[in-house]
Amino acid sequence: MRRNMDVFRVGLFLLIIGGVSAQVQLEPQNAAVLRGSKAHFNCSTTQSLSVMTWIVNGRLVLTILEMGVLNSTERFSARNLTTPGNYKWEFTISTVQRDDAGEVTCQVLGGDPRIATLSVQERGNVEIIGGNRTEIEGVQMELECQAIGWFPKPNVSWSINGLSMGNCNSSSIAQGNLFNSNCSLKLTAVKNSSVQCFVSVPALSTPESSTVFLTVESTKKATIRDQTVLISVTVAFSAAALLFLLIFGIIFCCKRRKRKKSTYHDEVRRAQSQSQNRMPANVRGRDNRGYITDGRDVRDTNGGIWHTNFNKQQMPYAINNFNEDDLRKHRHATIV
């Protein structure tokens, strides 16, 4: 490790005191990459390479000697692309970060430093607000494209059925170090169309896009559709009203039948009561003719007299088989 550091220091010393006779080229002069991707730079010279250094935004990140690459890391590396008469090295920045943006310098011993510019950009999202549309023929309409989370300020353009409508003057708002942009497109509904919004930044080889489909209906077709909707709504409302009336009718009939049945029973009970009130007292509580008296008279609540004369000779069997004390007396009255 110490030997490598000594070599590195010697290389820097030679670099400082060296002449300017070596011809150095750095490509590309401007590079734009997306954050998280890789950036590649090629530095070449016509003379035999002794020392080459790479500097990013003033930081020495890599040194190349004739014997090979020093202090290579996962983020900063180089590979030899030398061909006869052309000493070339490719410098790579992996997982590019936003703070890598700026100057990238290649310095070769005996030559002037060559500086390139690195731009680190962000790809966001794009969407046409509202999605697919259905409009009546001849209607003036407006579509809005929204680009969220881009850096730098993105370019927004439209196309209809593949025909470019050119860039639009979008309004952009910076949120932190990102941009949100909106762009509107005004058009007349003429025929069914595919409408696309394209959003791009220099680091993108292919723009991001959002697509919606415009369906155009003739006035006659739109009128028929409106009438169909109206008929459907009317039928649905009528069916609901009819169902309500049917349920109400059933409930009303059930209540009326119950009330009528209750009235009938009341009338029957009232008629029976009136019939009993009109019946003579001597008829309402007549004795049961099958009743055998035991010789005593008992007056009932209606003023009638019950004769209880009992003749033992009429029931010899009962007398012979039962004691007089065990004999139970029964009175039966039939009321009509």
Side-chain angles (χ1 to χ4, degrees):
M1 174 64 72
R2 185 171 181 176
R3 179 175 179 276
N4 290 337
M5 290 299 298
D6 292 338
V7 172
F8 175 68
R9 289 170 182 169
V10 172
L12 288 179
F13 176 76
L14 294 175
L15 181 63
I16 295 173
I17 65 174
V20 294
S21 59
Q23 300 296 319
V24 181
Q25 290 185 347
L26 178 61
E27 297 177 342
Q29 290 295 308
N30 295 285
V33 298
L34 295 175
R35 182 175 62 86
S37 61
K38 292 183 178 182
H40 301 280
F41 295 90
N42 294 323
C43 188
S44 60
T45 178
T46 56
Q47 294 183 0
S48 176
L49 179 65
S50 56
V51 179
M52 176 184 289
T53 57
W54 289 91
I55 302 171
V56 177
N57 287 331
R59 295 174 294 146
L60 178 63
V61 296
L62 195 70
T63 302
I64 303 173
L65 304 176
E66 291 183 359
M67 64 185 66
V69 180
L70 299 179
N71 59 327
S72 177
T73 64
E74 291 183 359
R75 289 233 307 130
F76 303 102
S77 59
R79 63 170 180 160
N80 192 354
L81 301 178
T82 299
T83 58
N86 185 25
Y87 301 92
K88 178 190 290 187
W89 284 82
E90 181 185 59
F91 173 63
T92 301
I93 305 175
S94 301
T95 316
V96 175
Q97 305 300 321
R98 290 292 297 272
D99 58 1
D100 293 330
E103 292 184 349
V104 177
T105 304
C106 175
Q107 178 82 58
V108 176
L109 180 63
D112 292 331
R114 294 292 182 261
I115 300 174
T117 302
L118 173 63
S119 173
V120 181
Q121 304 179 1
E122 296 272 359
R123 173 173 52 192
N125 300 317
V126 56
E127 180 185 9
I128 298 177
I129 305 301
N132 297 333
R133 299 275 293 270
T134 299
E135 298 291 347
I136 300 175
E137 185 178 5
V139 169
Q140 298 290 326
M141 57 181 299
E142 183 175 359
L143 297 176
E144 182 179 357
C145 181
Q146 190 175 71
I148 304 296
W150 294 77
F151 182 84
K153 178 182 175 181
N155 295 320
V156 184
S157 61
W158 292 90
S159 74
I160 300 177
N161 293 329
L163 179 63
S164 176
M165 307 301 294
N167 294 335
C168 64
N169 295 323
S170 60
S171 59
S172 298
I173 300 176
Q175 289 189 346
N177 55 4
L178 299 177
F179 287 92
N180 297 335
S181 300
N182 292 318
C183 182
S184 298
L185 174 67
K186 296 181 179 180
L187 70 158
T188 302
V190 178
K191 61 180 181 178
N192 295 343
S193 303
S194 172
V195 183
Q196 286 184 299
C197 174
F198 296 97
V199 181
S200 64
V201 290
L204 278 176
S205 57
T206 303
E208 294 290 315
S209 65
S210 177
T211 305
V212 297
F213 295 95
L214 171 63
T215 302
V216 179
E217 293 184 349
S218 63
T219 306
K220 182 178 179 180
K221 186 175 180 180
T223 302
I224 294 175
R225 183 188 64 182
D226 294 340
Q227 291 177 350
T228 303
V229 172
L230 179 61
I231 292 173
S232 300
V233 173
T234 302
V235 170
F237 179 78
S238 300
L242 181 61
L243 180 61
F244 173 78
L245 293 175
L246 181 61
I247 295 174
F248 178 79
I250 292 174
I251 295 174
F252 178 77
C253 291
C254 291
K255 287 185 176 180
R256 186 173 181 183
R257 180 176 298 179
K258 184 176 181 181
R259 190 183 301 113
K260 186 174 181 182
K261 185 176 181 180
S262 177
T263 303
Y264 171 76
H265 287 297
D266 292 342
E267 292 295 334
V268 170
R269 284 194 293 269
R270 189 180 299 110
Q272 290 177 350
S273 177
Q274 291 176 356
S275 175
Q276 291 176 3
N277 291 335
R278 290 194 300 268
M279 187 176 297
N282 59 351
V283 177
R284 287 198 300 270
R286 288 183 180 178
D287 295 342
N288 186 354
R289 298 190 180 189
Y291 175 70
I292 302 173
T293 64
D294 57 2
R296 290 177 291 180
D297 296 336
V298 179
R299 187 176 298 274
D300 61 9
T301 57
N302 294 322
I305 298 175
W306 297 79
H307 302 282
T308 60
N309 185 23
F310 179 77
N311 190 350
K312 297 180 179 180
Q313 295 178 355
Q314 294 177 0
M315 297 182 66
Y317 176 80
I319 296 172
N320 295 330
N321 292 279
F322 297 95
N323 295 324
E324 186 172 355
D325 293 336
D326 297 330
L327 184 63
R328 297 181 181 178
K329 300 180 181 63
H330 299 274
R331 295 183 181 90
H332 298 277
T334 302
I335 298 174
V336 180

